[in-house]
Amino acid sequence: MPIATGSDERAQGYFPRWILKSSGVIMPEQRLPLGQTVVSGLQHCVAMSGSTIIAPLLMGFDPNVAVLFSGIGTLIFFVIVAGRVPSYLGSSFAFIAVVIAATGYAGHGPNPNLSVALGGIVGAGVLYGLIALVVMWSGVGWIEKLLPPVVTGAVVAAIGLNLAPVTVKAVSANAFDTGIGLATVLIIGVVAVGAPGLWRRLPIILGAIGGYLLYLLFANGLGFGRPIDFTQVSAASWIGLPSFTTPTFQADAIVLIAPVAIILVAENLGHIKAVGAMTGRSLDDYLGRALLADSLATMVAACGGGTGVTTYAENIGVMAATKVYSTLLFAFAAMVSIVLGFSPKFGALVLSIPGPVIGGLSIVLFGLIAAMAGRIWVENKVDFSSPANLITVAVALTAGAGDLTLKFGAFTIGGIGTATFGAIILYQILTSRLARR
């Protein structure tokens, strides 16, 4: 059954009439029985939790607030796409490098310049929303021309490489911290490669738990490092308001962070295409709505102290494994996340994760961001015998890894911005008719 559009959609109403189905492939406009909906929805909560919790920690954000706004953002997405595109919106890793650069974050504890970062994320959301409106009006063809796979991959790789010095520093304080960080990396790798079933899809959160327990054993138990302090965990209440923060708008931070919108567009485009392929139906008619929903969710989150959000590949993986695409699962998962956001004890426990464990997670996650570029290039058969492609990638990688900073009066563009705009502009110049002549 194709997705209802036009007169069919009006006949159904704005939302589909979810039809009960208890087995087999469950399409977006179908629903499972209540018990299965609860279990499957919780599975999506588990799938998103690792990245949604780790990303704010790496930027010095409050994880409670990030989890809360991931739920709110998912409900915004659900409403704007009329309950017809199955997706969960969680913390975006694309913001990490630029937030760290814009705020000078040291890598552990609350970010003292959080409000400045939030202003930049709002700016990214505004740019993202403008792109979404243009897509809704003109279609997606111009995005594919402006951001071909060679450029998208170059920007993604530059983001990962730009983070490498911060990551290494996080595990280099002493031999004990280095050991814990590398042990965390090993646990993640073993889980990703050898764990059975669903566990293999949770390497980040299981790596965090494993690294945490190792640190607890050797630091609190054997005295090899600074022990974990559980005072705040014990003192935190089970239910309470999270610590909201409002944004502060500074031009430099906005210029640095706003270009992340380009990555979010490419990321969302890929995810929508993937879900469409899995369900056997095109979701291109909903792409503009999906981009607009993600942009609004990002702005709403940043106005309260949350991270920028994006559709999650982790949850797409769960759908691929289970063949259950019912959009109602994501509405349920969103409500669970909102409930967790109002638990200070949950947030205090997350904040107690030691710095070396965060560093170990960062080595894998930031490296995966860079490595994802290779996947983009391979899957799209990018031709590196082409000088235009080769030079575009080479310049972007060097600018990102070396943090090439450009100053225009009061404005400063860091390595991520330089790599992003540089790759886009350079590719268009090198593939123009004038260059070919």
Side-chain angles (χ1 to χ4, degrees), residues 214-227:
L214 276 177
Y215 191 97
L216 189 66
L217 172 63
F218 285 100
N220 291 57
L222 301 177
F224 284 100
R226 182 179 179 182

Side-chain angles (χ1 to χ4, degrees), residues 32-427:
L32 292 167
L34 179 60
Q36 293 184 45
T37 296
V38 170
V39 173
S40 297
L42 290 174
Q43 182 172 243
H44 279 288
C45 285
V46 172
M48 69 84 189
S49 61
S51 298
T52 297
I53 291 170
I54 297 303
L57 290 179
L58 298 177
M59 294 183 283
F61 285 50
D62 187 327
N64 265 67
V65 178
V67 170
L68 170 65
F69 279 110
S70 78
I72 293 173
T74 299
L75 290 182
I76 291 172
F77 186 92
F78 178 84
V79 171
I80 291 180
V81 300
R84 288 179 167 84
V85 180
S87 282
Y88 189 93
L89 270 61
S91 303
S92 172
F93 280 81
F95 286 99
I96 295 175
V98 290
V99 165
I100 291 173
T103 61
Y105 180 55
H108 191 60
N111 191 326
N113 297 311
L114 175 59
S115 64
V116 174
L118 296 176
I121 294 173
V122 171
V126 171
L127 177 59
Y128 195 3
L130 293 174
I131 295 172
L133 292 175
V134 175
V135 170
M136 293 175 71
W137 174 68
S138 65
V140 72
W142 67 276
I143 290 181
E144 295 173 342
K145 180 176 177 61
L146 187 66
L147 293 170
V150 63
V151 173
T152 303
V155 174
V156 170
I159 289 176
L161 293 175
N162 186 267
L163 290 161
V166 177
T167 305
V168 172
K169 184 179 179 180
V171 297
S172 301
N174 52 59
F176 176 70
D177 283 4
T178 302
I180 292 294
L182 294 179
T184 302
V185 170
L186 182 60
I187 293 170
I188 294 171
V190 170
V191 170
V193 172
L198 179 63
W199 298 108
R200 189 178 297 179
R201 299 186 180 278
L202 306 173
I204 302 301
I205 193 167
L206 293 179
I209 293 172
Y212 191 103
L213 294 176
L214 276 177
Y215 191 97
L216 189 66
L217 172 63
F218 285 100
N220 291 57
L222 301 177
F224 284 100
R226 182 179 179 182
I228 300 172
D229 185 0
F230 291 102
T231 303
Q232 292 187 358
V233 178
S234 301
S237 58
W238 285 100
I239 300 175
L241 287 173
S243 301
F244 295 113
T245 305
T246 55
T248 299
F249 299 98
Q250 292 186 8
D252 285 358
I254 293 173
V255 170
L256 181 61
I257 297 174
V260 172
I262 296 170
I263 305 301
L264 298 182
V265 170
E267 193 172 50
N268 214 324
L269 174 64
H271 289 171
I272 295 298
K273 294 285 189 182
V275 173
M278 288 190 297
T279 57
R281 57 178 62 168
S282 174
L283 295 175
D284 286 356
D285 288 343
Y286 289 96
L287 178 61
R289 288 198 202 183
L291 297 177
L292 181 62
D294 197 5
S295 70
L296 291 175
T298 292
M299 286 186 279
V300 168
C303 285
T307 62
V309 295
T310 187
T311 51
Y312 255 26
E314 291 89 334
N315 297 88
I316 293 174
V318 171
M319 287 190 282
T322 62
K323 308 300 181 186
V324 177
Y325 308 106
S326 174
T327 53
L328 288 179
L329 298 183
F330 297 94
F332 176 80
M335 289 185 283
V336 172
S337 296
I338 291 172
V339 171
L340 287 175
F342 285 101
S343 175
K345 190 171 288 291
F346 168 75
L349 181 62
V350 172
L351 288 172
S352 71
I353 298 176
V357 176
I358 298 293
L361 297 173
S362 301
I363 290 175
V364 176
L365 289 169
F366 297 171
L368 285 174
I369 293 173
M372 184 62 67
R375 179 176 177 179
I376 292 172
W377 293 327
V378 170
E379 289 181 349
N380 292 278
K381 299 180 173 60
V382 173
D383 180 13
F384 278 104
S385 66
S386 164
N389 290 344
L390 196 60
I391 292 173
T392 297
V393 172
V395 172
L397 295 187
T398 303
D403 196 27
L404 175 61
T405 301
L406 300 179
K407 294 185 178 181
F408 303 95
F411 294 101
T412 300
I413 302 179
I416 298 296
T418 303
T420 300
F421 290 117
I424 293 171
I425 296 170
L426 184 60
Y427 180 80

